[in-house]
Amino acid sequence: MHSQSKFSFLSLTLSIYFSFVATAIAQNLPPAAPPADLKIWFMHPANNWNEALPVGNGRLGAMVFGGITTERLQLNEETVWSGKPEDFVNPQAKAALGPVRQLLFAGKYAEAQKIAQEKMMGDKKVGSNYQTLGDLQLDFSHTPTVTDYRRELDLENAVARTSYVANRIKYTREIFSSAPDQVLVVRLTADKPGALSFNIKVSRPGDKANITATGNEITMQEHVNNGVGVKMVTRIKVLNEGGALTATNGNIGVKEANTVTLLLTAASDYWGSEPGAQTGKQLAAAGSKPFTQLKADHVKDYQNYFKRVDLNLGITEAAYYPTDARIVAMQAGNVDPHLLQLYYQFGRYLLISSSRPGGLPANLQGIWADGLTPPWSADYHININIQMNYWPAELTNLSELHLPFLKFLEALGPDARKTARDMYGLKGTVAHFTTDAWHFTEPYGQTQWAMWPMGLAWSAQHLWEHYLFTEDKKYLKELAYPVMKEAAEFCTGWLVENPVTKQLVSGPSISPENQFKTKSGDVATMVMGPTMDHMIIRDLLTNTIAAGKALNQDAAFRKKLQNVLSRLAPTKIGSDGRIMEWTEEFAEPEPGHRHISHLFGLHPGNQITKQQNPELLAAARKTIDYRLSHGGGHTGWSRAWIINFFARLQDGEAAYENLLALLRKSTLPNLFDTHPPFQIDGNFGATAGITEMLLQSHAGEIQLLPALPKAWQKGYIHGICARGGFDLDLDWENGKLKQAKILSKLGNTCQIRYGDEVISLKTQKGKTYTLDGNLKPL
Ligand code: FUC
């Protein structure tokens, strides 16, 4: 009965799919794909950007459309930003701070907000956007009628491929972005000599780019945004085997070639180098390597990251079908564990492809953004989004890829120091809700999201987390601790005593982007003492003390932090049993709000655990249930956060339900997360969440399979990481742990938990320990 209903779901949804690929079906295309492939694939070209497939080497990326007579590659380079560094602290802010605090303590929220809006928000005059690099367009002269069409992104090799048969000739395009050679490679082949005739063209929205073609090279240059932004250069080299090339009007025509390789390099002056020379050098070096070598080097480099983790959740017949059909089928209730596995590995693929050491961090869209003004400028929102991007970095064995974010936090320093001083008269560093490639840290816009000085303090958690997984003391001393210390220093100056409770509170501040109703019925946002701020500050100060201890420095400062911690307002439970979001129990105009900020202590923090405070854990559960029962989880990232919350609550079923909801409601055909629109944080957040369902190590012990749902009866995850320097391989069967292999990278002693079983394991560096399902050594 059960399997029959599964089958009818699948047939129903496939029939929906088949109706929109009717043309392909009419041509007798086989739907079959090898079932265990980690491929996102389609039987039709992308109809829009959300169906195109992303490739990237950390900084240079493309969205591949796979068109038949026109191929479009929408290009990105991570430093293509408009705008420039700017100071815009409101000069009246310092004087307004005291009066705003007094008004808030007196419950005069509307008055306080009015002053803060006028006197504390900055006036950001220069717009800044992460922008497209441009488009590469290939126009083919063959017939538009083709058979055997297939377009795929192969996650095992990081190669996008399009193939089809036209006039009995099989055409194939392979596209990848190589990190070792810093070049985007497009390889075109046909199974008949002389069959490749097409035109190559580049363009950029606004038509301001200077585009020239000579010999076998096209160059595109622009000082973006009419000179307010980076200067960028793109170069394309066309390497043909057979046939001939003609360069005219910035285009290159290819006539009757056997095989063509396009090499594309791009750079800007963002990091201080001259992009013309840099791209020229890169192109010359890549051009001297044969295609097979370029590809082999790319695959090797990529797999060095990708192959570290292997997940298996089982497989059903759905795995034979194209990805868009599988999403439709899942929406209709079909069970497809392999799609979850694909989604998981896609999250890791995206981090490997958008965040490499030495570059900028993954922004709201990773590195993939179309147009000149993408949503939210595709910037660095630091009131959840960019942090979420990096939640999977350590857990899924991609620790090095965390570094762009960590270095970025250091780079915020000079502006963050200025903002602390000029806006609040304080020492240390502060950043607000968002920033950009130019590192601004001042607040601007509405107080509802901007009056929140915790962006850097939250981000600093990542500096400490990287240390917990690696115990790299040099890194701690040189990069992490100095940034943490300055952020902590700001917090100690920022907190003030609540005149009634005598506790230290943060304010004026908000609970990110949420609002409340005052007793007089006004809707307000700012308070003294939003819960999230205190959770963040507690986290930061505790971590800074631990870091100072590990480095054996700053004893007096540590004492000061300890003293502040002892006076910090605690997390409170309200009369309805939920964690209080503000100091008072206000009515909520939007009870299903997407930010669930006051659960920071549950995740990504570690202040709410079963071990420490089960009463807060129960209150956290009520808080999520209440949000969800009022329509919560409606943005992709919010849903992804909820998966992590339920994993931490060790409720595998609820975590799984929310994972399914993410796939069903907030996932685009190419598996990108949608807010809507596309925002990459949900991809990363869910990848972290799936890992948290299978392994946790935030509460002083390594807990195996803490939230395994019933749907995953048999499977394994190999290569995920725990704090203290451990790599774990976990295998389970009949819903129970079968075997755990623990590689100790640092030789630490750890406590391992599976259900109620707990053991202590002394380890030696480099050794692997194998335990059975009862945690007995094997
Ligand atoms: C935060 C969220 C929004 C959006 C934006 C980019 O401010 O509240 O939902 O994700 O970032």
Side-chain angles (χ1 to χ4, degrees):
M1 176 64 208
H2 181 64
S3 69
Q4 217 178 25
S5 68
K6 240 173 37 185
F7 180 74
S8 55
F9 261 130
L10 187 66
S11 5
L12 172 76
T13 51
L14 287 175
S15 69
I16 299 169
Y17 175 75
F18 285 162
S19 67
F20 67 79
V21 287
T23 343
I25 300 303
Q27 289 161 356
N28 244 340
L29 290 187
D37 274 2
L38 284 176
K39 284 180 179 153
I40 300 172
W41 70 280
F42 302 85
M43 290 161 72
H44 57 87
N47 295 308
N48 56 57
W49 198 89
N50 294 331
E51 292 182 359
L53 294 168
V55 295
N57 65 1
R59 68 168 193 97
L60 181 62
M63 291 295 284
V64 183
F65 282 65
I68 292 168
T69 50
T70 297
E71 169 66 287
R72 178 183 177 207
L73 265 70
Q74 185 267 311
L75 308 166
N76 285 106
E77 200 282 336
E78 67 173 3
T79 62
V80 177
W81 272 84
S82 65
K84 61 177 187 182
E86 191 191 1
D87 282 323
F88 54 93
V89 163
N90 188 321
Q92 302 184 80
K94 223 191 297 180
L97 182 60
V100 167
R101 282 176 168 163
Q102 271 169 17
L103 285 168
L104 289 174
F105 277 134
K108 296 185 175 163
Y109 301 105
E111 290 95 318
Q113 194 155 313
K114 197 162 172 283
I115 298 176
Q117 187 62 54
E118 213 180 285
K119 303 192 169 172
M120 298 185 80
M121 296 304 96
D123 181 12
K124 189 176 186 308
K125 293 207 172 72
V126 185
S128 59
N129 278 289
Y130 176 60
Q131 299 189 331
T132 183
L133 181 71
D135 275 7
L136 170 65
Q137 189 176 314
L138 311 178
D139 289 300
F140 297 87
S141 56
H142 64 59
T143 163
T145 322
V146 301
T147 58
D148 296 3
Y149 181 90
R150 184 180 163 105
R151 177 170 66 93
E152 66 179 28
L153 177 63
D154 179 346
L155 301 186
E156 307 234 22
N157 298 297
V159 174
R161 217 170 273 117
T162 302
S163 59
Y164 53 80
V165 175
N167 301 336
R168 298 216 174 85
I169 300 167
K170 180 167 183 180
Y171 292 89
T172 306
R173 298 172 211 149
E174 278 198 314
I175 296 149
F176 58 88
S177 183
S178 158
D181 288 296
Q182 290 298 316
V183 67
L184 182 84
V185 182
V186 183
R187 168 83 162 181
L188 300 105
T189 54
D191 67 0
K192 193 177 153 212
L196 286 169
S197 294
F198 60 101
N199 185 59
I200 307 164
K201 172 181 163 184
V202 286
S203 61
R204 191 162 194 271
D207 290 329
K208 302 248 169 64
N210 177 18
I211 300 167
T212 52
T214 30
N216 68 344
E217 278 192 39
I218 304 178
T219 308
M220 171 167 71
Q221 309 185 48
E222 189 179 332
H223 192 168
V224 308
N225 194 31
N226 298 317
V228 186
V230 299
K231 283 185 192 154
M232 49 140 228
V233 176
T234 304
R235 286 176 193 272
I236 297 161
K237 191 190 273 255
V238 185
L239 301 168
N240 58 312
E241 289 165 34
L245 304 181
T246 333
T248 30
N249 294 332
N251 293 2
I252 291 183
V254 179
K255 203 166 169 224
E256 293 171 6
N258 308 329
T259 298
V260 179
T261 307
L262 307 183
L263 302 177
L264 185 148
T265 60
S268 81
D269 61 355
Y270 178 81
W271 301 107
S273 56
E274 206 286 294
Q278 193 183 336
T279 48
K281 252 202 227 156
Q282 288 166 338
L283 199 61
S288 69
K289 268 184 163 182
F291 170 77
T292 44
Q293 194 61 47
L294 286 171
K295 189 174 168 190
D297 291 349
H298 158 70
V299 171
K300 188 167 172 229
D301 166 82
Y302 168 77
Q303 290 189 343
N304 168 41
Y305 296 105
F306 187 74
K307 292 279 182 190
R308 292 175 190 174
V309 173
D310 189 7
L311 171 68
N312 189 327
L313 298 174
I315 197 150
T316 62
E317 66 270 33
Y320 283 93
Y321 290 88
T323 310
D324 47 353
R326 294 171 75 176
I327 297 174
V328 175
M330 192 178 252
Q331 281 162 356
N334 186 55
V335 176
D336 188 354
H338 183 262
L339 185 61
L340 302 178
Q341 180 186 327
L342 188 68
Y343 189 85
Y344 180 82
Q345 290 292 23
F346 185 50
R348 296 185 64 250
Y349 168 86
L350 291 173
L351 198 66
I352 302 168
S353 307
S354 66
S355 183
R356 293 293 188 102
L360 283 170
N363 63 41
L364 288 175
Q365 298 194 187
I367 52 169
W368 301 277
D370 197 8
L372 302 179
T373 54
W376 287 285
S377 308
D379 69 7
Y380 298 103
H381 266 60
I382 41 174
N383 65 2
I384 173 103
N385 316 87
I386 305 308
Q387 288 94 336
M388 185 177 280
N389 284 1
Y390 285 91
W391 288 350
E394 303 293 337
L395 304 176
T396 76
N397 218 330
L398 299 173
S399 184
E400 309 94 309
L401 308 186
H402 210 165
L403 287 167
F405 183 41
L406 308 177
K407 292 290 275 182
F408 182 75
L409 299 177
E410 183 185 48
L412 290 180
D415 200 80
R417 224 164 278 139
K418 249 191 286 171
T419 301
R421 185 193 65 202
D422 299 347
M423 186 169 170
Y424 303 116
L426 291 174
K427 282 197 184 144
T429 48
V430 66
H432 294 80
F433 73 111
T434 193
T435 181
D436 64 5
W438 310 111
H439 306 126
F440 77 85
T441 54
E442 301 87 337
Y444 75 101
Q446 297 299 311
T447 55
Q448 182 180 351
W449 54 82
M451 191 56 249
W452 187 71
M454 291 292 125
L456 185 51
W458 178 347
S459 303
Q461 182 189 56
H462 286 253
L463 293 157
W464 180 239
E465 288 286 313
H466 183 70
Y467 175 74
L468 289 179
F469 282 86
T470 60
E471 296 192 2
D472 179 346
K473 281 248 167 78
K474 185 169 164 354
Y475 149 82
L476 185 66
K477 192 175 174 65
E478 289 171 8
L479 175 63
Y481 181 67
V483 182
M484 291 167 71
K485 187 181 167 189
E486 276 198 278
E489 199 165 20
F490 171 82
C491 293
T492 62
W494 168 251
L495 291 165
V496 287
E497 190 179 274
N498 177 313
V500 179
T501 64
K502 306 290 175 205
Q503 287 160 345
L504 293 178
V505 293
S506 164
S509 189
I510 54 161
S511 189
E513 314 210 14
N514 205 356
Q515 306 187 84
F516 56 86
K517 274 192 200 146
T518 67
K519 291 203 179 82
S520 55
D522 295 329
V523 172
T525 60
M526 282 167 30
V527 291
M528 292 304 292
T531 300
M532 182 190 228
D533 286 18
H534 301 155
M535 287 177 165
I536 290 174
I537 293 171
R538 190 171 297 113
D539 192 87
L540 172 62
L541 270 47
T542 308
N543 295 344
T544 308
I545 292 170
K549 261 194 203 147
L551 295 171
N552 198 18
Q553 65 188 64
D554 294 329
F557 183 62
R558 275 189 265 142
K559 217 166 161 197
K560 180 176 163 188
L561 297 185
Q562 201 63 60
N563 182 37
V564 171
L565 276 175
S566 68
R567 297 185 57 209
L568 191 61
T571 302
K572 288 201 299 198
I573 299 175
S575 58
D576 58 2
R578 289 185 292 147
I579 304 270
M580 284 174 65
E581 186 160 0
W582 301 279
T583 34
E584 280 179 64
E585 293 191 59
F586 294 119
E588 296 154 78
E590 203 191 320
H593 198 266
R594 61 196 183 285
H595 287 262
I596 315 183
S597 307
H598 44 320
L599 295 194
F600 173 92
L602 177 66
H603 184 277
N606 61 358
Q607 289 160 37
I608 302 179
T609 62
K610 204 173 177 179
Q611 291 88 335
Q612 283 179 91
N613 37 29
E615 65 299 340
L616 286 181
L617 200 77
R621 165 99 216 188
K622 280 200 175 144
T623 308
I624 306 169
D625 288 345
Y626 185 85
R627 277 283 214 269
L628 279 172
S629 67
H630 290 83
H634 50 89
T635 67
W637 65 258
S638 180
R639 184 71 70 184
W641 200 0
I642 291 167
I643 300 166
N644 286 274
F645 286 143
F646 279 121
R648 288 278 172 101
L649 288 170
Q650 302 181 10
D651 185 338
E653 299 316 308
Y656 179 68
E657 278 312 313
N658 281 280
L659 177 59
L660 293 187
L662 184 75
L663 268 291
R664 287 174 179 154
K665 298 182 188 167
S666 304
T667 300
L668 296 164
N670 60 5
L671 292 190
F672 266 160
D673 168 72
T674 180
H675 183 287
F678 163 52
Q679 206 167 281
I680 207 162
D681 42 13
N683 286 103
F684 292 132
T687 296
I690 294 169
T691 320
E692 291 270 346
M693 289 165 77
L694 302 172
L695 180 74
Q696 292 175 20
S697 64
H698 62 286
E701 49 185 30
I702 298 176
Q703 186 166 1
L704 315 181
L705 308 182
L708 186 70
K710 286 202 193 80
W712 300 344
Q713 282 296 304
K714 183 171 170 2
Y716 60 79
I717 188 154
H718 292 171
I720 46 174
C721 302
R723 291 166 185 81
F726 301 97
D727 281 5
L728 284 97
D729 290 358
L730 304 175
D731 291 59
W732 63 91
E733 225 171 69
N734 301 320
K736 296 218 156 46
L737 179 70
K738 190 177 157 213
Q739 180 178 293
K741 271 192 185 173
I742 300 143
L743 164 67
S744 171
K745 292 183 286 190
L746 301 168
N748 283 323
T749 295
C750 61
Q751 188 161 302
I752 300 191
R753 172 184 291 277
Y754 175 58
D756 293 331
E757 277 321 306
V758 184
I759 62 156
S760 172
L761 187 70
K762 279 209 175 79
T763 72
Q764 279 174 30
K765 190 173 168 164
K767 268 193 137 181
T768 298
Y769 301 82
T770 308
L771 307 174
D772 70 10
N774 299 310
L775 304 188
K776 300 276 178 291
L778 276 175

